[in-house]
Amino acid sequence: MNNNDQLYQRIAPDVRLGKRVKIFAFTNLYGCELGDDVRVGTFVEIQKGARIGNRCKISSHSFICEGVTLEDEVFIGHHVTFINDRFPQATNEDGTPQTDEDWQCVPTLVKRRASIGSGATILCGVQIGEGATVGAGSVVTKDVPAGAIVAGNPARVLRVAQPA
């Protein structure tokens, strides 16, 4: 990270950074945890409560929200979006703005060595299995088995890799 990158980052003091983390310019990180050797691209936001394992790569323009856990060695392509609310609303029934107490964060887990292609959207409450691949532009609405390759909207299993 050079001095110019530091001018364009917003890394809150409550972020826990591992060793040798590389964060590029124009990022917004708060209340999250990043493991060792993580790389975070430009224009990435990682919210409070998100946990990023060791040796992950998060490409530019991605959004990792509260409740998301990436295990070790996960690849996140460009412009990947995670969602943590099944029924998002701006206001309550009485018209008052919703607060943190008015909704439930639904967690998502991405297992070790999974890869998520550019432009994918990952709905909340799913688990993406170890070594699975999510194709670019896919919308993941349900669990992805370990070693599976999924693609489409909604994402469907194209094949499952045989164990080595």
Side-chain angles (χ1 to χ4, degrees), residues 108-121:
T108 297
L109 175 62
V110 181
K111 302 287 276 181
R112 183 178 180 272
R113 296 190 59 78
S115 294
I116 301 177
S118 295
T121 300

Side-chain angles (χ1 to χ4, degrees), residues 16-22 33-39 51-56 70 72:
R16 292 179 40 196
L17 295 176
K19 298 173 186 164
R20 298 173 303 279
V21 172
K22 183 162 179 118
E33 179 181 333
L34 282 67
D36 297 340
D37 301 302
V38 171
R39 292 173 288 165
R51 297 182 62 210
I52 312 300
N54 297 319
R55 297 173 303 284
C56 292
L70 307 181
D72 295 345

